[in-house]
Amino acid sequence: MKQDATRNAAYTVDCEDYVHVVEFNPFESGDSGNLIAYGGSNYVVIGTCTFQEEEADVDGIQYKTLRTFQHGVRVDGIAWSPETRLDSLPPIIKFCTSAADMKIRLFTSDLQDKNEYKILEGHSDFINGLVFEPKEGQELASVSDDHTCRIWNLEGMQTAHFVLHSPGMSVCWHPEETFKLMVAEKNGTIRFYDLLAQQAILSLESEQMPLMSAHWCLKNTFKVGAVAGNDWLIWDITRSSYPQDKRPVHMDQACLFRWSTVNENLFATTGYPGKMASQFQIHHLGHPQPVLIGSVAVGSGLSWHRTLPLCAIGGDHKLLFWVTEM
């Protein structure tokens, strides 16, 4: 008998507004709780959450807001800096946002009196992805509908600029070899750049359009995943520039793809809010069907917990969390 994979969210947290984007901090921050950031129409909230899966004395989820940052414009993307520390005195919270006004804002806070942000300007169209260099956090990369990928230092100066053939949808930094950057384009091409030579070194083809989201598997950097059209696609970059595996998943067009941070065979995808609620699915490469299916009235954003097989999605005045098995 086939088990039904449809699940309601395991945990929810109420928010003051519609949540456009949510990101767990992917870096160790020196505290037992997990930092999470979410953005709405004009603010960013930084909070901590602890789940019963990791702390026996927690009933379900324990969530606490640390600080709300006024943003003044809709938040489209959030990226955490590895410089964020909760165990330093004073604590350091560092993250950046992309916004509807095509600007990047770099926030720094000690959760007390020091709350600053710097504006990084240069993109001439919507910014679809941004990421910090994961080792030192002294640079960040962004991709945009303006057909560019840009590298910035923390002073806001551009240190590199790559011209793309179509809108840039996703950007990922190699976790160890920090001179390597992956950029995914809407036309279905994924390129890897050598930042020292400032040139492309390898490319993958999805043969499907539009490619909406791609992600480098940080547990196994030979693996790349993406969603294009209605399908998810997986590449093994040691074997071919064409997908090794692909499957149709979302009726109304797929939207986001994210690898789990704890298991190289686990990944999640979301569909665009269509006539139905937006669909959210967790897949395991060993299983022909999704291992979990959730639905969110108006879902956006998708982020995996750093140490648990647990996903967060933003919804209407709430954060939703789903848990799966390894």
Side-chain angles (χ1 to χ4, degrees):
M1 183 181 141
K2 188 172 158 297
Q3 198 182 357
D4 183 22
T6 308
R7 300 260 189 294
N8 289 329
Y11 314 115
T12 58
V13 168
D14 290 329
C15 309
E16 284 174 23
D17 188 11
Y18 174 74
V19 178
H20 287 282
V21 59
V22 56
E23 289 293 341
F24 278 113
N25 181 6
F27 305 108
E28 164 64 66
S29 63
D31 187 78
S32 62
N34 304 274
L35 280 165
I36 191 166
Y38 65 90
S41 49
N42 55 12
Y43 66 86
V44 180
V45 174
I46 302 293
T48 57
C49 44
T50 310
F51 298 91
Q52 65 185 23
E53 281 76 6
E54 52 188 339
E55 294 276 341
D57 54 352
V58 170
D59 182 21
I61 180 176
Q62 197 169 17
Y63 171 82
K64 180 174 139 217
T65 292
L66 297 181
R67 189 164 192 100
T68 300
F69 297 86
Q70 293 310 309
H71 198 266
V73 58
R74 189 186 75 219
V75 183
D76 288 337
I78 299 172
W80 283 95
S81 162
E83 289 192 285
T84 293
R85 300 301 299 180
L86 287 179
D87 57 354
S88 62
L89 280 170
I92 304 162
I93 297 284
K94 205 171 221 181
F95 63 94
C96 64
T97 61
S98 58
D101 60 3
M102 304 170 226
K103 293 175 183 151
I104 297 168
R105 288 165 177 79
L106 174 60
F107 286 84
T108 311
S109 169
D110 62 4
L111 298 176
Q112 288 145 22
D113 310 326
K114 182 189 169 192
N115 297 286
E116 323 168 333
Y117 72 87
K118 182 186 292 285
I119 290 182
L120 282 55
E121 291 187 75
H123 281 299
S124 58
D125 209 333
F126 286 115
I127 299 162
N128 296 314
L130 70 170
V131 64
F132 274 90
E133 184 277 304
K135 280 266 204 262
E136 310 290 330
Q138 296 306 297
E139 287 186 303
L140 54 120
S142 57
V143 288
S144 160
D145 280 350
D146 67 11
H147 296 208
T148 66
C149 169
R150 295 165 197 251
I151 314 290
W152 316 74
N153 63 22
L154 301 190
E155 279 65 63
M157 305 292 293
Q158 285 184 43
T159 57
H161 176 127
F162 300 105
V163 177
L164 311 177
H165 298 262
S166 68
M169 302 307 290
S170 299
V171 59
C172 300
W173 223 297
H174 192 289
E176 303 300 329
E177 299 164 26
T178 54
F179 58 90
K180 286 185 187 167
L181 196 71
M182 183 200 92
V183 174
E185 296 189 37
K186 200 169 189 173
N187 67 6
T189 302
I190 299 172
R191 280 193 186 80
F192 297 84
Y193 291 90
D194 177 330
L195 295 178
L196 303 178
Q198 299 213 352
Q199 63 185 21
I201 44 178
L202 177 75
S203 68
L204 308 175
E205 295 299 334
S206 70
E207 301 186 292
Q208 257 168 286
M209 286 170 47
L211 186 153
M212 297 311 288
S213 171
H215 198 212
W216 210 341
C217 181
L218 301 184
K219 289 291 277 185
N220 174 356
T221 50
F222 293 143
K223 280 185 179 172
V224 171
V227 285
N230 306 73
D231 300 4
W232 59 252
L233 310 105
I234 309 278
W235 289 260
D236 173 345
I237 63 175
T238 61
R239 296 176 63 169
S240 170
S241 59
Y242 295 101
Q244 196 185 359
D245 209 352
K246 68 175 185 179
R247 218 156 284 164
V249 273
H250 295 284
M251 303 278 287
D252 293 305
Q253 194 182 352
C255 176
L256 294 171
F257 183 108
R258 294 285 184 276
W259 289 105
S260 155
T261 43
V262 292
N263 181 334
E264 66 171 76
N265 293 311
L266 205 58
F267 60 96
T269 59
T270 63
Y272 274 93
K275 300 162 200 66
M276 314 283 287
S278 29
Q279 267 222 330
F280 153 71
Q281 299 185 6
I282 294 180
H283 313 268
H284 191 288
L285 280 177
H287 294 260
Q289 302 297 327
V291 292
L292 187 152
I293 299 171
S295 86
V296 195
V298 271
S300 57
L302 173 62
S303 184
W304 284 92
H305 188 284
R306 191 174 63 84
T307 56
L308 293 173
L310 181 149
C311 266
I313 291 187
D316 185 5
H317 290 74
K318 56 171 72 84
L319 295 174
L320 303 111
F321 302 91
W322 275 267
V323 189
T324 184
E325 292 77 43
M326 292 279 274

